[in-house]
C-alpha cells in the first residue's frame, strides 16, 4: 500500500538511507534468509507528489503493511510522520473531491462515534495563523466525523498539510504549484530523544563526542535492536554506543587510550556514567585495544551484529597505533613493563594514517561481523576546485548499500558509509582485500597518506587570491541536501 511519508527538512541525504535500513529491520522485504545476502539490492518504491522537488519533505512510499509503516515512523529520527492518504489536490475543492472518492470501507472505521479524534493543520514553506488553521478545519465539514474531539490523547489523529507556491531561492526546495494533503496518521518520530540525549547535558564528554541526532541515525543505519551486539573500536566517551543501547542492543567498545576507557575524569565521570545517566544497560566490556593490533584470539569470527564508529581521520583528532616512533624505526627493541609499573603505564603510540585505519577496520569487520551484519562509519571527503572524491573504500566481503553526505565546510564533508557483509571471510578474500587496499591507497588517498588533511581542511579557500571575503551573492541561498 502507498503511504505519504513526511520528513523533517534537515540532513536530507540521510533520510531515505535511514528509512530503508529500518524498513529492512522491520521486515518490509520479507523474512531474512542466509541466501538473501547475495541477491539484488532491496529497494523500496518511492515517488514524488506532483510538481515537487526531490528534496521536498513529502514523498510517497510503498510498504507491505500498516504495522511496518508504524514501526518505521516511531523508530526513525528524520520521519516527521507516515500517513494513510485520504486525498490530495491543488486546491481545497480538488481535495474535497478526492477525500469523498476515497473508499468508505477505509474511512468509516476511524469516524465512528465511540472513537476520539484530532485534526492538526500543518504547512511547509509558510506559517499559518491560528485563525487560518481554524478556517481550514471548519472547511472539512464534508467528512462525517461522529466521534468526540480529544486534543491530548485522541484515538485517531488526522493531518491537513499544504505547501505554498514557491519558485524563489529562500532556503527551501522550489515548489511549482500548491499541494494540499489530508490523511490519517500512522506514526511519527519521537524527537524528544534529541534534547534528552543532547551533548550539553552529557556527564562525560570528549572533543570528538558524536552529536546525539547523528548517533541515533548511525544506530538506525546499523539496525541496532534487542538481542544484537554492537561494537565500536574507537569508543571514546561512548556517544555512539549510548544510542545503540537506547534501542536495546548489547554494546561493547575499545579505545587505544586507556585513560578514556578506564579512568575518565573520576569514578562518577567516565564512559560508564554516561550509560548510568540515562538508565541504559552497561556495556558488556570496554577494552584498551589497538585497531591496528586487534586483541581477538586466532580463529575467532562472526561475533558482532554491527560495528559503528567514527574513525580518527585527522581533523579534530588524529589516529594513534601502538609502537612509538623509536620502536617502529627499530631504534629500540620491544620491552617488558615491570609488574610494579603496569597499573599506571601508558603505552607509547605512533601516528596512524586513515588509509591504514580504514583497511584495518574493514578487515576487522570482515572477520568479526556475522553474515548480514552492518558496518557503519564516517569517511572524509575533500572538495578541491568544486570536485568531489567519490571513490570509497571497498572489501570483497561487503556491499555498500548507502552513502549519506554532510557538508562541514566549503572544502570538507564527511560521508556516512553503510556496508552489509555478504561473503564469509577467507584468506583468499583477505588477500584480495589487501590488493584493493594498495590500489585504493595509491590512486585515491595520497593527500590523506601524507597526513595533511587537517591543513587542507582549515586552509583558506581563497588564500591565493588574497580575498578573504566571499560576497553574499556568490552563495546559493538554497542549501539543498546539505541543510
Amino acid at each position: 500500500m502507498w503511504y505519504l511519508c513526511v520528513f523533517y527538512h534537515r540532513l536530507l541525504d540521510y533520510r531515505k538511507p535511514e528509512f530503508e535500513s529500518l524498513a529492512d529491520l522491520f521486515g518490509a522485504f520479507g523474512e531474512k534468509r542466509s541466501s538473501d545476502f547475495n541477491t539484488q539490492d532491496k529497494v523500496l518504491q518511492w515517488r514524488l507528489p506532483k510538481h515537487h522537488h526531490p528534496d521536498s519533505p513529502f514523498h510517497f512510499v510503498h510498504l507491505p503493511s500498516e504495522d511496518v509503516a508504524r514501526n518505521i515512523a516511531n523508530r526513525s529520527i528524520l520521519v516527521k510522520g507516515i500517513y494513510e492518504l485520504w486525498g490530495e489536490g491543488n486546491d481545497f475543492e480538488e481535495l474535497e473531491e478526492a477525500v469523498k472518492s476515497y473508499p468508505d470501507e477505509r474511512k468509516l472505521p476511524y469516524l465512528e462515534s465511540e472513537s476520539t479524534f484530532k485534526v492538526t493543520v500543518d504547512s511547509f514553506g509558510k506559517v499559518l495563523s491560528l485563525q487560518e488553521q481554524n478556517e481550514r478545519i471548519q472547511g472539512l465539514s464534508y467528512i462525517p466525523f461522529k466521534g468526540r474531539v480529544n486534543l491530548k490523547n485522541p484515538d485517531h489523529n488526522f493531518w491537513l498539510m499544504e505547501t505554498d507556491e514557491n519558485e524563489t531561492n529562500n532556503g527551501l526546495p522550489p515548489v511549482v504549484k500548491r499541494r494540499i494533503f489530508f490523511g490519517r496518521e500512522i506514526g511519527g518520530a519521537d524527537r524528544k530523544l534529541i534534547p534528552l540525549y543532547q551533548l550539553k547535558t552529557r556527564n562525560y564528554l570528549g572533543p570528538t563526542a558524536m552529536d546525539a541526532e547523528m548517533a541515533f541515525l548511525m544506530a538506525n543505519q546499523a539496525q541496532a535492536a534487542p538481542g544484537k551486539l554492537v561494537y565500536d573500536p574507537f569508543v571514546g566517551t561512548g556517544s555512539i554506543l549510548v544510542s545503540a543501547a537506547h534501542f536495546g542492543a548489547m554494546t561493547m567498545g575499545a579505545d587505544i587510550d586507556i585513560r578514556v576507557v578506564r579512568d575518565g575524569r573520576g569514578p562518577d565521570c567516565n564512559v560508564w556514567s554516561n550509560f548510568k545517566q540515562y538508565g541504559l544497560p552497561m556495556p558488556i566490556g570496554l577494552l584498551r585495544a589497538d585497531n591496528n593490533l586487534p586483541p581477538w584470539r586466532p580463529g575467532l569470527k562472526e561475533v558482532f551484529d554491527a560495528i559503528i564508529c567514527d574513525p580518527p581521520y585527522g581533523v579534530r583528532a588524529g589516529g594513534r597505533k601502538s609502537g612509538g616512533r623509536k620502536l617502529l624505526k627499530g631504534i629500540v627493541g620491544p620491552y617488558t613493563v615491570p609488574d610494579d609499573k603496569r597499573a599506571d603505564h601508558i603505552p607509547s603510540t605512533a601516528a596512524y594514517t586513515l588509509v591504514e585505519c580504514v583497511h584495518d577496520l574493514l578487515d576487522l569487520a570482515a572477520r568479526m561481523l556475522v553474515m548480514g551484519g552492518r558496518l557503519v562509519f564516517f569517511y572524509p571527503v575533500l572538495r578541491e576546485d568544486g570536485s568531489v572524491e567519490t571513490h570509497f573504500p571497498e572489501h570483497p566481503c561487503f556491499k555498500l548499500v548507502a552513502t549519506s553526505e554532510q557538508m562541514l565546510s566549503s572544502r570538507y564533508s564527511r560521508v556516512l558509509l553503510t556496508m552489509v557483509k555478504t561473503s564469509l571471510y577467507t584468506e583468499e578474500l583477505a588477500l584480495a582485500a589487501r590488493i584493493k587496499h594498495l590500489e585504493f591507497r595509491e590512486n585515491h588517498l595520497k593527500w590523506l597518506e601524507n597526513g595533511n588533511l587537517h591543513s587542507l581542511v582549515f586552509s583558506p579557500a581563497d588564500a591565493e587570491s588574497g580575498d578573504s571575503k566571499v560576497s553574499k551573492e556568490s552563495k546559493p541561498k538554497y542549501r539543498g541536501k546539505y541543510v
Side-chain angles (χ1 to χ4, degrees):
M1 180 175 176
W2 286 96
Y3 294 90
L4 175 65
C5 175
V6 182
F7 291 105
Y8 286 101
H9 191 63
R10 54 179 292 101
L11 299 172
L12 308 189
D13 221 21
Y14 290 75
R15 301 184 306 185
K16 286 186 179 179
E18 184 207 22
F19 193 103
E20 293 184 346
S21 294
L22 293 178
D24 185 37
L25 174 64
F26 292 119
F29 305 108
E31 186 179 353
K32 293 183 179 180
R33 300 182 299 273
S34 59
S35 59
D36 289 339
F37 300 123
N38 289 312
T39 58
Q40 61 183 355
D41 295 342
K42 301 174 181 179
V43 179
L44 292 175
Q45 298 180 56
W46 296 89
R47 60 183 176 86
L48 283 168
K50 291 182 179 179
H51 313 299
H52 273 238
H53 190 278
D55 289 342
S56 166
F58 298 93
H59 285 72
F60 291 112
V61 60
H62 191 274
L63 296 171
S65 70
E66 186 171 309
D67 288 338
V68 171
R70 182 178 297 106
N71 290 335
I72 294 173
N74 294 343
R75 167 75 181 258
S76 172
I77 299 299
L78 296 178
V79 172
K80 188 173 183 178
I82 296 180
Y83 309 90
E84 177 192 1
L85 189 66
W86 287 14
E88 62 174 315
N90 292 330
D91 51 45
F92 288 102
E93 290 74 18
E94 189 174 330
L95 175 68
E96 178 179 350
E97 182 179 346
V99 172
K100 287 182 177 179
S101 62
Y102 194 69
D104 287 340
E105 60 269 20
R106 296 291 307 171
K107 294 186 297 185
L108 295 181
Y110 306 102
L111 303 175
E112 295 177 348
S113 58
E114 295 81 9
S115 63
T116 59
F117 72 96
K118 172 186 175 182
V119 177
T120 303
V121 178
D122 195 15
S123 61
F124 181 73
K126 65 178 180 180
V127 177
L128 296 177
S129 67
L130 184 60
Q131 180 180 351
E132 290 175 318
Q133 295 181 37
N134 289 331
E135 291 174 353
R136 282 160 172 74
I137 293 176
Q138 293 171 5
L140 298 175
S141 58
Y142 54 86
I143 301 177
F145 292 108
K146 297 179 180 179
R148 293 177 293 106
V149 174
N150 187 332
L151 299 182
K152 291 186 177 181
N153 189 25
D155 296 327
H156 310 296
N157 198 348
F158 299 92
W159 285 71
L160 179 67
M161 298 163 284
E162 62 179 277
T163 60
D164 193 20
E165 294 182 1
N166 168 39
E167 298 184 33
T168 60
N169 292 328
N170 64 348
L172 300 176
V175 178
V176 179
K177 285 187 178 181
R178 181 189 190 192
R179 201 71 179 166
I180 308 171
F181 307 93
F182 181 82
R184 178 179 63 89
E185 181 184 82
I186 305 299
D190 183 10
R191 294 288 291 186
K192 294 179 181 178
L193 289 180
I194 308 305
L196 176 64
Y197 284 89
Q198 60 186 336
L199 293 183
K200 66 181 182 181
T201 61
R202 191 72 56 85
N203 189 17
Y204 180 45
L205 281 180
T208 59
M210 183 61 65
D211 171 72
E213 182 179 35
M214 193 60 68
F216 281 118
L217 285 173
M218 296 175 76
N220 281 340
Q221 291 279 70
Q223 301 179 341
K228 292 189 175 184
L229 178 57
V230 175
Y231 179 63
D232 182 356
F234 309 100
V235 67
T237 57
S239 298
I240 295 175
L241 292 188
V242 164
S243 65
H246 171 82
F247 292 128
M250 298 177 289
T251 58
M252 184 175 181
D255 202 283
I256 195 171
D257 191 344
I258 193 172
R259 296 167 295 184
V260 174
V261 296
R262 183 188 65 183
D263 305 324
R265 296 191 179 96
D268 298 322
C269 186
N270 49 43
V271 179
W272 305 95
S273 68
N274 283 343
F275 288 81
K276 184 178 179 180
Q277 178 182 353
Y278 302 111
L280 299 174
M282 296 293 177
I284 63 174
L286 294 176
L287 310 176
R288 188 280 172 189
D290 183 0
N291 190 56
N292 187 243
L293 297 170
W296 319 109
R297 68 174 185 266
L300 183 64
K301 296 180 181 179
E302 300 192 7
V303 174
F304 305 118
D305 296 283
I307 294 177
I308 319 174
C309 63
D310 182 24
Y313 35 80
V315 177
R316 289 185 292 176
R320 307 295 295 178
K321 64 180 179 180
S322 300
R325 290 175 295 177
K326 291 184 179 180
L327 182 62
L328 294 177
K329 291 180 179 180
I331 299 176
V332 298
Y335 59 92
T336 302
V337 180
D339 292 340
D340 60 333
K341 295 184 178 180
R342 287 190 177 184
D344 297 323
H345 177 70
I346 299 176
S348 300
T349 60
Y352 190 30
T353 63
L354 181 61
V355 176
E356 194 174 7
C357 175
V358 170
H359 171 71
D360 293 339
L361 176 63
L362 289 172
D363 187 70
L364 167 72
R367 289 175 180 268
M368 302 301 290
L369 280 178
V370 300
M371 284 293 293
R374 293 196 164 209
L375 170 62
V376 180
F377 67 101
F378 273 111
Y379 183 77
V381 170
L382 188 66
R383 295 166 169 265
E384 295 189 85
D385 302 326
S387 61
V388 184
E389 174 62 70
T390 57
H391 186 89
F392 300 121
E394 298 178 8
H395 194 285
C397 289
F398 289 95
K399 177 170 62 176
L400 182 64
V401 296
T403 61
S404 306
E405 185 178 5
Q406 181 187 23
M407 286 292 297
L408 299 178
S409 73
S410 60
R411 306 190 66 195
Y412 163 64
S413 65
R414 61 180 182 178
V415 179
L416 185 64
L417 303 181
T418 302
M419 298 181 173
V420 175
K421 184 176 178 181
T422 57
S423 301
L424 293 173
Y425 182 86
T426 63
E427 294 303 323
E428 291 77 12
L429 289 181
L431 177 60
R434 183 65 185 172
I435 295 174
K436 280 182 174 291
H437 162 67
L438 294 175
E439 178 184 343
F440 180 68
R441 172 180 174 177
E442 178 69 23
N443 296 334
H444 300 279
L445 289 177
K446 292 181 180 179
W447 51 278
L448 288 176
E449 183 62 21
N450 293 335
N452 59 356
L453 176 59
H454 185 279
S455 61
L456 285 173
V457 169
F458 292 102
S459 61
D462 49 359
E464 295 181 1
S465 64
D467 183 10
S468 59
K469 296 183 179 180
V470 181
S471 65
K472 293 183 179 180
E473 290 75 13
S474 65
K475 295 182 179 180
K477 292 183 178 180
Y478 172 47
R479 295 169 288 169
K481 65 181 179 179
Y482 306 120
V483 172

